[in-house]
Amino acid sequence: MTQTSRPEAVIVAGGFGTRLLPLTERRPKHLLEVGGVPFLEHQIARLAQAGVDHVVLATSYHADLFKPVLGDGSRWGVRLDYVREEEPLGTGGAIRNVADVLGDDPEGAVVILNGDILSGHDLPGQLRDFETPRDGQRVDVSLHLVGVEDARPFGCVPTDASGRVLDFVEKSDNPVTNQINAGCYVFRRDVVDLIPSGRVVSVERETFPGLVAEGRLVVGYVESAYWRDVGTPEALVAASREVVLGLAPTPAVAAAPPARVDEEASVGDATVDGGSLLLAGVAVADGAVVSGSVLMAGARVGAGARVVDSVLGPGAVAGAGAVLEGVALGDDAVVADGVTVPAGERVPCGERR
């Protein structure tokens, strides 16, 4: 089968980012910086590299903040459209909600990305596999699958020798396979229109199992490249660190070990390493140690403070001699001089400890 148009893409970016609180109290998770740029820039750049020329953002929470940051897509050579959900519609509902701005080629490929996955998998390879019929039958949907050591916390997706998806199995103490859904799909354009409109739909629980039950060809594209769900403060810090250190794919950001420090930041006589990210207006005082952490715009670290594997939201302050390890500070949160914040703590926006 020959594809008659260039692939399009939809990024599902409507979630509230609850797992990332307090960092998402004032902004969508998709615009949090990873390795020096808003997270969605990584995804848009990777889509452009794969030949996609039209990207649709399915937004909802703080929808007005996306376009001022990302613009019209011309930076990446793509056309970027924005479609807002008036109420949450689930993954499938969000995809169906943008159908009117997609092209009309029924055989066209539509790449769907979950808006919180950083992946280095071979998307062009998945697209080529998508265009390869099985026994003369076209592929309707392709799912990127990854193998994990312990699949018990995940839903599993078993496939046969040709790659055909056989079932979708919920979490189990005895998984039928170690293959799990990695959050990148390719839909045939006319299959998007099969999703019911105007209501909540889950592709994982409703759309995909329904297509398999109907005998449509749903295949898995199994690959073990870099993959990370950037859905918690800890994962955000780890992803940013891995981008800076060159351990993760970087289509939008050049790696700059041992740290990435904005030219408008000030680090004084401090130690900044471990793949840390310091954005504009950050100030780190003499004698402080910042390692493996993300300091967002305007954050400040006092003299002799220790900030390790932590994230400081815009304007947040770690006072002189403070100790933060594995901590998330919301916007304008303050940790007073000499205070040690318990590991794993999340300090809400504007709060003082």
Side-chain angles (χ1 to χ4, degrees):
M1 180 179 297
T2 301
Q3 185 177 307
T4 58
S5 59
R6 292 182 66 180
E8 299 178 278
V10 177
I11 302 177
V12 180
F16 293 103
T18 305
R19 292 187 298 153
L20 270 159
L21 285 170
L23 304 173
T24 49
E25 183 176 327
R26 300 177 182 176
R27 64 190 59 80
K29 63 183 177 180
H30 319 88
L31 296 181
L32 294 171
E33 287 87 355
V34 171
V37 298
F39 180 73
L40 282 185
E41 292 203 16
H42 292 277
Q43 293 194 320
I44 296 170
R46 187 159 294 279
L47 289 167
Q49 288 181 343
V52 172
D53 63 358
H54 180 214
V55 179
V56 183
L57 287 186
T59 68
S60 177
Y61 179 63
H62 284 305
D64 57 316
L65 298 183
F66 287 90
K67 191 168 186 177
V69 174
L70 301 172
D72 62 2
S74 57
R75 276 183 287 161
W76 303 279
V78 304
R79 177 167 56 92
L80 194 54
D81 281 324
Y82 302 82
V83 177
R84 179 175 186 167
E85 295 176 14
E86 296 305 319
E87 57 185 38
L89 295 171
T91 47
I95 296 166
R96 182 64 178 84
N97 191 54
V98 308
D100 288 347
V101 300
L102 294 174
D104 57 5
D105 176 8
E107 299 294 333
V110 182
V111 179
I112 311 292
L113 295 182
N114 287 351
D116 54 7
I117 301 296
L118 183 63
S119 174
H121 92 282
D122 182 6
L123 179 54
Q126 184 179 3
L127 285 163
R128 289 191 297 271
D129 185 70
F130 175 76
E131 297 299 343
T132 304
R134 272 59 164 184
D135 295 326
Q137 183 180 6
R138 76 169 194 178
V139 174
D140 289 300
V141 177
S142 166
L143 286 71
H144 176 214
L145 306 178
V146 296
V148 296
E149 290 187 10
D150 183 3
R152 288 176 298 176
F154 304 97
C156 297
V157 186
T159 54
D160 67 13
S162 71
R164 179 188 287 267
V165 170
L166 302 174
D167 199 0
F168 293 84
V169 183
E170 294 299 321
K171 298 174 185 177
S172 168
D173 289 335
N174 298 292
V176 297
T177 177
N178 71 336
Q179 295 175 176
I180 67 168
N181 179 359
C184 173
Y185 322 121
V186 185
F187 273 67
R188 197 68 64 182
R189 171 64 185 88
D190 59 3
V191 175
V192 172
D193 292 332
L194 299 177
I195 301 172
S197 64
R199 69 170 178 85
V200 176
V201 181
S202 166
V203 290
E204 299 88 353
R205 296 183 178 87
E206 184 175 347
T207 305
F208 296 151
L211 291 170
V212 170
E214 292 172 7
R216 290 186 175 268
L217 184 52
V218 179
V219 302
Y221 183 78
V222 184
E223 198 186 65
S224 58
Y226 178 95
W227 178 85
R228 181 180 283 281
D229 175 351
V230 189
T232 66
E234 298 81 6
L236 176 83
V237 169
S240 185
R241 179 170 58 239
E242 289 160 358
V243 168
V244 171
L245 294 176
L247 304 175
T250 56
V253 181
R260 182 179 176 89
V261 181
D262 189 280
E263 61 183 12
E264 296 182 13
S266 171
V267 298
D269 186 16
T271 299
V272 179
D273 61 15
S276 292
L277 171 67
L278 277 60
L279 296 175
V282 165
V284 181
D286 293 351
V289 173
V290 176
S291 183
S293 296
V294 174
L295 277 57
M296 297 185 182
R300 290 183 287 131
V301 177
R306 180 175 174 82
V307 178
V308 179
D309 297 340
S310 296
V311 54
L312 277 61
V317 177
V323 178
L324 288 70
E325 296 193 12
V327 170
L329 301 187
D331 300 25
D332 304 315
V334 176
V335 175
D337 294 354
V339 171
T340 296
V341 181
E345 192 83 358
R346 301 186 185 194
V347 182
C349 295
E351 187 168 306
R352 183 179 180 88
R353 291 288 174 92

